[in-house]
Amino acid sequence: ADIRIGYVVVPETLVDIFELAQRQMGILTPITMQDALAEFIGAGAYLGHIRKMTRLYKGRRDRLLQALAAEAGDRLAVEAPAGGMQLLARCPPHTNDQHLAARLLEAGVVSRALTRMLYHRSAERGLFLGFAAWNDKEIDQTARILGRIVR
């Protein structure tokens, strides 16, 4: 089972409003889960987990970068992110990245259009591709599908 817990450090004057917002949004974590996570962190297991996942994600990131370069060539500009679980594949400015994301979804590839993530007008276009949960076969297949669609 996965555990998804986030936290925010806010000034003391904002604690009440953040607690209210958290309750209103329904993003409460059971105390037993909080206790288990605290024990996991306290025992030093969290740091080991982070190191392991960082290596794993870096390998998947590198695999995706190589596969995209082979399959999509210069049709996408992709830079290696320093870390994380997704990368941004930039498209030419005239590209409708939302249409491209929809076409990919029809082909079984989940991505997010950059224009959906922007709050301001921009000529930038691209796709966010998450790679954390993909195995090598899925990465290669995704790159082939993406390469075929962006031709």
Side-chain angles (χ1 to χ4, degrees):
D2 293 345
I3 298 175
R4 289 185 178 221
I5 296 179
Y7 66 91
V8 177
V9 178
V10 298
E12 196 162 333
T13 57
L14 297 177
V15 168
D16 290 341
I17 192 74
F18 270 76
E19 285 180 349
L20 178 62
Q22 181 185 21
R23 281 194 296 281
Q24 292 296 320
M25 293 173 65
I27 51 175
L28 303 174
T29 302
I31 194 69
T32 54
M33 189 67 72
Q34 293 178 44
D35 288 344
L37 183 59
E39 186 176 323
F40 184 73
I41 292 169
Y46 183 68
L47 184 57
H49 172 73
I50 293 298
R51 286 184 183 129
K52 175 184 173 187
M53 299 315 292
T54 298
R55 283 190 305 273
L56 180 67
Y57 296 157
K58 183 181 181 304
R60 290 177 179 171
R61 178 205 66 193
D62 293 348
R63 177 79 177 230
L64 181 57
L65 287 168
Q66 291 171 353
L68 287 173
E71 299 291 340
D74 60 356
R75 292 177 299 280
L76 297 173
V78 185
E79 296 176 16
M85 298 178 273
Q86 65 181 359
L87 57 78
L88 175 60
R90 294 183 187 276
C91 305
H94 65 277
T95 304
N96 182 332
D97 58 359
Q98 293 179 35
H99 178 71
L100 182 56
R103 288 185 62 204
L104 286 168
L105 186 57
E106 289 173 5
V109 176
V110 177
S111 65
R112 287 189 324 276
L114 174 61
T115 55
R116 289 217 182 265
M117 311 306 276
L118 299 173
Y119 291 105
H120 61 291
R121 294 181 66 80
S122 172
E124 289 189 82
R125 301 293 183 262
L127 299 169
F128 285 100
L129 300 169
F131 50 80
W134 295 352
N135 62 39
D136 288 349
K137 182 179 176 182
E138 292 166 327
I139 288 170
D140 294 344
Q141 180 180 4
T142 294
R144 278 193 300 276
I145 292 169
L146 186 53
R148 186 181 73 238
I149 289 177
V150 298
R151 285 175 214 226

